[in-house]
Amino acid sequence: MTTVQKIKEIEDEMAKTQKNKATSYHLGQLKAKLAKLRRELISPSGGGGGGGPGIGFDVARTGVASVGFVGFPSVGKSTLMSKLTGTHSEVSEIDFTTLTTVPGTLKVHGAPIQILDLPGIIEGANDGRGRGRQVIAVARTCNLIFIVLDVLKPLGDKKIIESELEGFGIRLNKKPPAILVRKKDKGGIAITNTVPLTNIDQEEIKAVLSEYKLSNVDVTIRQPNMTADDLVDVIEGNRVYIPALYVLNKVVYHLIEIMCYSRWLCMQIDAISIEELDLLYKIPYSVPISSREWLNIDELSEKMWDALELVRVYTKPRGQSPDYSAPVVLRRGRCSVEDFCNAIHKEIAKQMKYAVVWGASAKHSRGQKVGLDHILEDEDVVHIAKK
């Protein structure tokens, strides 16, 4: 029996098993077994080269962040890619026109961002159908995923694509669970929770641990509404947590003004009604656009910038005005003065005596003298004084 067949067998058994106190231990074991089989698909043990993207999919990374386009064939990914970056990506009404990863670069607020147009995926992609495994392997390495959907059937396609990415260890718009599993030499299983266990009980936790042969562990749970899947994700340790935007493409227009996000947006609606468009905006993380008509792309760019959580920092040489033409771009969470120095040259942090910062992170408008551990904010200006 193949791995895919084993996965299907377990999924069928889980679907027909009613969850209650008597079955919680069994369901916990099934979920752990399913995760272990999924791991085999992500990193197959046989063959040469492991689970990398493969020829035509692995590309050299450029820019300060990467955004991958994921979606079914013929939803407009290549048109959007070509118009955003100026990079030619074959466009056709025929499915599977894009067969390899096509890279391009888009500048947003002065920061170069790499855009990756990936081939269209099909249902069953995480099991290897239609080279879907290579496509999703590239998506795992991106800082942000654009899930491009046809505006006329967004919810059904959204659910399928989410399931495919989930099966390959990608968690969309989530944070790593606040769960700590610490192995020890003896003492059995000790479970401590600082929040109520509403979706899982101790028997199910023990079942998951048993399947992974973890008999001496301390489990600390701080995750509200924790599930068995959260625990499995922590034990597996190979999950990636990536922000995603749902790009609802092919909105066709009629010159109708609608109110959107507290500002007027001139849009022409033909394929969908105003009421349907309002419903689309209620889908979390969604942005309706038309790549062909180039409408609502500004909002898409702004949401992309916000989701990437980038921080622009400008340099100020001594006795000169700040250089606003070429910001040093950092990631939020890694935007200290030391990170800023290392982004320019690794030796600068060693040579720095102090830094002077102007902007949102400074206490004074005239500038603040700071050290390497000072956290910078977007559009701060920094002068480095050397020893």
Side-chain angles (χ1 to χ4, degrees):
M1 187 182 289
T2 65
T3 302
V4 174
Q5 288 171 330
K6 290 177 184 176
I7 288 172
K8 182 71 169 63
E9 189 177 76
I10 291 176
E11 286 177 336
D12 289 343
E13 186 175 350
M14 287 173 63
K16 65 186 181 185
T17 303
Q18 187 176 1
K19 184 171 181 179
N20 53 49
K21 250 187 172 180
T23 61
S24 64
Y25 190 91
H26 180 58
L27 282 171
Q29 284 187 315
L30 290 177
K31 287 178 180 179
K33 285 178 181 177
L34 185 62
K36 287 161 77 175
L37 290 170
R38 288 287 185 199
R39 188 206 308 154
E40 290 180 22
L41 290 180
I42 297 173
S43 305
S45 55
I55 296 172
F57 287 85
D58 201 8
V59 296
R61 292 307 169 91
T62 60
V64 297
S66 59
V67 179
F69 287 6
V70 175
F72 288 124
S74 300
V75 292
K77 298 189 303 296
S78 298
T79 301
L80 182 59
M81 162 76 170
S82 298
K83 290 196 173 184
L84 276 175
T85 67
T87 302
H88 177 69
S89 186
E90 195 67 37
V91 177
S92 171
E93 297 298 323
I94 303 170
D95 288 354
F96 299 107
T97 306
T98 303
L99 299 175
T100 59
T101 301
V102 179
T105 302
L106 169 68
K107 275 209 166 186
V108 181
H109 298 311
I113 295 170
Q114 186 178 49
I115 306 294
L116 300 176
D117 181 18
L118 302 173
I121 64 173
I122 58 176
E123 193 167 359
N126 70 72
D127 297 330
R129 293 185 62 198
R131 303 190 78 183
R133 199 176 296 168
Q134 292 96 321
V135 173
I136 300 175
V138 177
R140 276 178 64 94
T141 66
C142 293
N143 303 111
L144 173 66
I145 295 175
F146 275 5
I147 297 179
V148 186
L149 303 167
D150 190 321
V151 75
L152 295 182
K153 46 180 180 177
L155 295 179
D157 289 356
K158 173 178 178 286
K159 186 175 180 181
I160 294 170
I161 292 173
E162 285 175 339
S163 176
E164 298 300 329
L165 298 178
E166 185 96 0
F168 214 75
I170 297 175
R171 302 294 179 259
L172 300 174
N173 297 318
K174 293 181 180 177
K175 299 292 184 185
I179 303 167
L180 178 64
V181 178
R182 187 175 62 86
K183 295 180 184 179
K184 55 188 180 181
D185 295 330
K186 56 184 179 180
I189 296 172
I191 301 171
T192 306
N193 56 292
T194 59
V195 292
L197 299 179
T198 55
N199 297 319
I200 192 172
D201 57 29
Q202 296 214 359
E203 284 301 305
E204 195 170 351
I205 293 172
K206 288 176 181 177
V208 172
L209 296 173
S210 171
E211 185 61 34
Y212 283 98
K213 296 179 171 57
L214 296 172
S215 54
N216 293 296
V217 288
D218 289 331
V219 180
T220 305
I221 302 164
R222 299 187 182 90
Q223 177 71 27
N225 303 314
M226 167 196 160
T227 65
D229 293 325
D230 291 330
L231 178 59
V232 167
D233 286 350
V234 171
I235 294 172
E236 282 287 330
N238 62 354
R239 308 313 194 217
V240 291
Y241 297 83
I242 305 175
L245 291 177
Y246 299 95
V247 183
L248 309 176
N249 196 18
K250 299 189 178 181
V251 175
V252 194
Y253 299 88
H254 268 325
L255 287 178
I256 298 176
E257 282 191 333
I258 64 168
M259 178 68 82
C260 167
Y261 285 96
S262 303
R263 70 177 188 271
W264 287 102
L265 176 67
C266 224
M267 303 186 76
Q268 310 167 326
I269 315 294
D270 186 16
I272 59 175
S273 68
I274 296 293
E275 291 76 15
E276 288 172 319
L277 189 67
D278 287 339
L279 288 175
L280 292 177
Y281 265 112
K282 291 178 181 177
I283 299 173
Y285 308 103
S286 68
V287 188
I289 68 158
S290 172
S291 56
R292 181 172 292 180
E293 303 296 333
W294 203 242
L295 291 165
N296 215 25
I297 303 300
D298 287 346
E299 182 181 348
L300 180 63
S301 297
E302 286 302 319
K303 286 204 169 188
M304 175 177 67
W305 177 264
D306 293 340
L308 287 170
E309 295 189 313
L310 300 177
V311 175
R312 293 160 292 174
V313 182
Y314 302 104
T315 57
K316 183 187 181 303
R318 185 172 183 176
Q320 299 180 33
S321 298
D323 180 8
Y324 292 108
S325 62
V328 176
V329 183
L330 306 171
R331 302 297 303 276
R332 195 165 293 283
R334 288 177 292 179
C335 54
S336 66
V337 171
E338 185 173 9
D339 294 320
F340 169 77
C341 293
N342 291 335
I344 301 171
H345 196 284
K346 291 181 179 179
E347 293 299 314
I348 292 180
K350 298 176 184 176
Q351 300 168 359
M352 190 187 95
K353 185 177 181 182
Y354 62 87
V356 181
V357 178
W358 295 264
S361 73
K363 291 180 180 178
H364 320 293
S365 59
R366 63 181 181 275
Q368 179 186 355
K369 189 184 289 188
V370 299
L372 288 171
D373 59 349
H374 179 80
I375 302 300
L376 299 167
E377 292 292 337
D378 191 33
E379 296 195 279
D380 275 357
V381 174
V382 178
H383 166 71
I384 302 294
K386 294 184 178 180
K387 296 175 182 176

